[in-house]
Amino acid sequence: MAKKTVRKDKIPNEGFSFLEFIRKERTRFLSGVCLAFVGAYILLGQISFFATGAADQSKVENRYFFDLISHKQQISNWTGVAGAFTAEKLINQWFGIFALLIPVYMILMGLKLMRVLNISAIRTFLLTAFAIIWGSITSAFILSSLFGDSHIKWGGAHGEGMEKILEAALGIPGIIMVILLLLIIFLIITKKASMEFFRGLFKNPLKNNSSPATDPESDNFYGDGDEEPVKKKKSLFSFLAKKKEDTPTEEENLPDTAEALPIENTKRKKTSTTLQVDQDFEIVVPQDEDEFIQPAKNIQPETEPERLPANNVETSDDILPEREEMEDYDPTKDLSNFHFPSTELLKIYDATGKGVDMEEQTANKSKIITTLQNYGIEITSIKATVGPTITLYEIVPKAGVRISKIRNLEDDIALSLSALGIRIIAPMPGKGTIGIEVPNKDPQIVSMQSVIASRRFQECAYDLPVALGKTITNEIFMFDLCKMPHLLVAGATGQGKSVGLNAIITSLLYKKHPAEMKMVLVDPKMVEFSIYSTIERHYLAKLPDAEKAIITDVTKVTQTLNSLTKEMDDRYELLMNAGVRNIKEYNEKFRKRRLNPLKGHRFLPYLVIIIDEFGDLIMTAGKEIEMPIARIAQKARAVGMHMVIATQRPTTNIITGTIKANFPARMAFRVTSQIDSRTILDMSGANQLIGRGDLLFSQGSDLVRIQCAFVDTPEVEGIAQYIGTQQGYSRAFVLPEFVGEGNEDKAGSVDLNDRDPLFDEAARLIVVHQQGSTSLIQRKFSIGYNRAGRLMDQLEAAGIVGPAQGSKARDVFIADEYSLEQKLSAFN
């Protein structure tokens, strides 16, 4: 039955054979070539008309075209009789000199059919028609009076006729006003920025005496950072000048208050090119987002007038009354001359010549359809969305086809496409289609420069913005680390984890001032984060007695994590005393000078803890590492502390249930097995990635495929050097000193006069085996873990074994049984 159905679908419908013919790519291309050549011929004839029209006018005027050919008139026009006749008609008898736009429009439409240009036919037609009509009337009104004795009718018959009608109805001033009105309408329709120009014409005469820094209608109505933002008022002129569009502009999305909403919450119109290859197959090529052009001067933090010293505040309360004469506290004032890195430090990769390979897309489409038909699966349509490294093919199966049947053909489709690995999404969330993700043969590099320089990143209002890369649809993928609130990064060796961590750090360095964010970098490999040592006095935090801010020693990691838990508890105490619930409310109160610094209150910067090779730390220190991480992950969100941990061993003993429960946001690079993918994402998919920065981002039930932005080591070095050469603080941000219950205190709390009856036997067992293991005592004496643990504490207090070393066995201090018996006899 399947073969019969295929034959029936392939029988052409004679009633629509012409439509199928004109939809072919070759037909469209040839039509475009012909249209462009005809337009060029007419344009050449019109240009020649200005030089030879006087000699030919008496021969072609009031004559039919075929009469001119039959009488073989001697024509001076470069394009012969046809060109002279067409130019006379279009220029003198129609629209004047603006009739030149007609062949130009024909050339543009020819290039569009050839797929050389990507323009809207309807929009171009409307703008061309508007320009021809306006230009015809304007030329007849201005040029005809200046050059009336010429053989050229500057406005054509149409322009002269309309000019006479308007002059009779409105007079000469009326004609001038109509011409200016049509020009203004045309400029506003074609260029949105012209609205600001016309706003300025209306504002300047009315606002001569107002200050530009406080003028609510000026471009800089927020002021220069010295004054309170003024609520924006909408004047009649700005209301009339606004143009309604399908997608709101950035100006329309500005709220009425000075605190702007995040740009990413607004809907943006995504520009893309749709190529209709045939009746049931189209290719969507998303276009890159607009690049944000930085001003010529360096970006500097806003400065404020000199603030009052804290010792001028005399009160015994934690919360101070609001005083109008006090300026807001500016945390960036100590480094007011700090300059954010420029995008020129990032490398631009050449992507020219890497367009859409139509042959590859058509071949993949045919192979997918053939493979499905071989298994009796028919589809009604297929659509391809081309991304930088992956192409998404969306298919719509015929009624009655089971989705599971298509999902089981994953390996067969990969074999037919000779692809590194494909991923089937059945069904696509929110769509009635099934997605097949296929790697491109010639992938493009997503540069960090294209992500950082995008308007979306530069204008975002996130607290901790992170730009990862681009999605399949070529959109910049961003998220706010504050809302995650913690991130787990996992993947096999060499798949892009280190580049991903550098992309996260780079994003934060480009948006956050040193006074607003500090980082704790843990690098057991000792080489990944050493490049950031130059920004120690700007962005890094460390223990009071630490020599280096980059933490590489496992013992220092444990102390740092315990210190961070103390910092978390201290911050919660400050929030409680201030009567607020999160760090944003607390810092806002502190900026308004509502909190007394004499009572311990201080500005709280965000703390981002980034841990690389988490699996190595767990193997070395075990619970001593996992427990403080779990505490921070559970509680630290409200006080502005956020964690990013990365591991190349995504196994259940590394990524435990405690870790997964507190790290809802996860980045999965390519892994080797489906089990590892389920460990990271709780679903398969990461084992089907192609590597080299290809990742899946999960937050809850949403799963997004992203090509991570590539930032190379020299780029990171340049950014770090640029920041490090600037003025910084006197030292790195100092974490509180953590004084916990040491091992000696624990051992000293054990009363050796109340020893366990098995103490002597356990000591002999440990010395004979030279292994200080609690589980060994459990097995040999068949006792529970609690009693075995108490026995181990007593042995430690007696000096027989050393302190705990995480998952490792304790050291045994007694070398032989003879020495042990002497020690036991001393106790007895």
Side-chain angles (χ1 to χ4, degrees), residues 8-9 15 30 39 94 144 168 200 279 321 374 428 490 527 577 588-589 674 679 736 764 779 801:
K8 183 177 179 180
D9 291 342
L30 290 176
W94 284 14
S144 295
Q279 187 173 1
N374 291 339
M428 292 283 291
V527 294
N577 295 334
E588 182 63 24
K589 256 188 173 182
Q674 187 175 4
T679 303
R764 295 186 181 99
R779 292 195 307 271
V801 297

Side-chain angles (χ1 to χ4, degrees), residues 355-376:
V356 179
D357 189 345
M358 298 299 299
E359 294 182 359
E360 177 187 353
Q361 304 303 328
T362 305
N364 287 347
K365 167 244 183 182
S366 302
K367 291 177 182 178
I368 291 173
I369 293 177
T370 302
T371 304
L372 294 176
Q373 288 178 345
N374 291 339
Y375 291 91

Side-chain angles (χ1 to χ4, degrees), residues 355-551:
V356 179
D357 189 345
M358 298 299 299
E359 294 182 359
E360 177 187 353
Q361 304 303 328
T362 305
N364 287 347
K365 167 244 183 182
S366 302
K367 291 177 182 178
I368 291 173
I369 293 177
T370 302
T371 304
L372 294 176
Q373 288 178 345
N374 291 339
Y375 291 91
I377 298 174
E378 297 294 326
I379 63 175
T380 58
S381 67
I382 182 170
K383 172 185 174 183
T385 303
V386 184
T389 57
I390 301 294
T391 297
L392 173 64
Y393 295 90
E394 296 182 59
I395 62 174
V396 179
K398 284 190 175 181
V401 176
R402 298 177 64 88
I403 294 179
S404 59
K405 193 174 182 180
I406 299 177
R407 190 185 291 114
N408 294 333
L409 297 177
E410 194 168 69
D411 295 335
D412 300 277
I413 297 175
L415 178 63
S416 66
L417 296 174
S418 301
L420 179 62
I422 69 168
R423 177 168 168 262
I424 294 181
I425 310 171
M428 292 283 291
K431 299 182 180 180
T433 59
I434 295 175
I436 303 176
E437 295 177 347
V438 181
N440 297 334
K441 291 183 180 179
D442 188 14
Q444 299 180 11
I445 296 178
V446 177
S447 65
M448 198 67 195
Q449 190 275 342
S450 64
V451 176
I452 296 295
S454 66
R455 182 175 296 275
R456 187 174 188 183
F457 177 80
Q458 293 291 337
E459 295 182 349
C460 78
Y462 287 165
D463 294 322
L464 289 176
V466 175
L468 273 186
K470 292 185 179 181
T471 63
I472 293 178
T473 58
N474 231 25
E475 295 179 349
I476 304 296
F477 183 84
M478 293 179 54
F479 64 86
D480 189 354
L481 186 58
C482 289
K483 296 181 180 178
M484 292 298 104
H486 310 288
L487 179 64
L488 172 64
V489 183
T493 304
Q495 302 304 318
K497 293 190 308 301
S498 297
V499 175
L501 293 178
N502 284 331
I504 294 173
I505 296 174
T506 302
S507 301
L508 296 173
L509 294 180
Y510 266 91
K511 290 293 286 186
K512 302 306 293 182
H513 190 274
E516 300 172 332
M517 181 199 69
K518 302 295 179 182
M519 292 187 293
V520 176
L521 301 181
V522 179
D523 182 18
K525 289 196 295 188
M526 305 183 187
V527 294
E528 291 294 340
F529 293 152
S530 59
I531 197 171
Y532 296 105
S533 59
T534 55
I535 63 173
E536 174 181 333
R537 293 183 298 109
H538 298 81
Y539 283 102
L540 300 187
K542 66 177 184 180
L543 293 172
D545 57 344
E547 295 181 2
K548 299 179 180 179
I550 311 295
I551 305 165

Side-chain angles (χ1 to χ4, degrees), residues 75-90:
I75 299 299
S76 302
N77 193 289
W78 304 336
T79 55
V81 174
F85 181 83
T86 304
E88 173 69 22
K89 287 290 184 183
L90 293 178

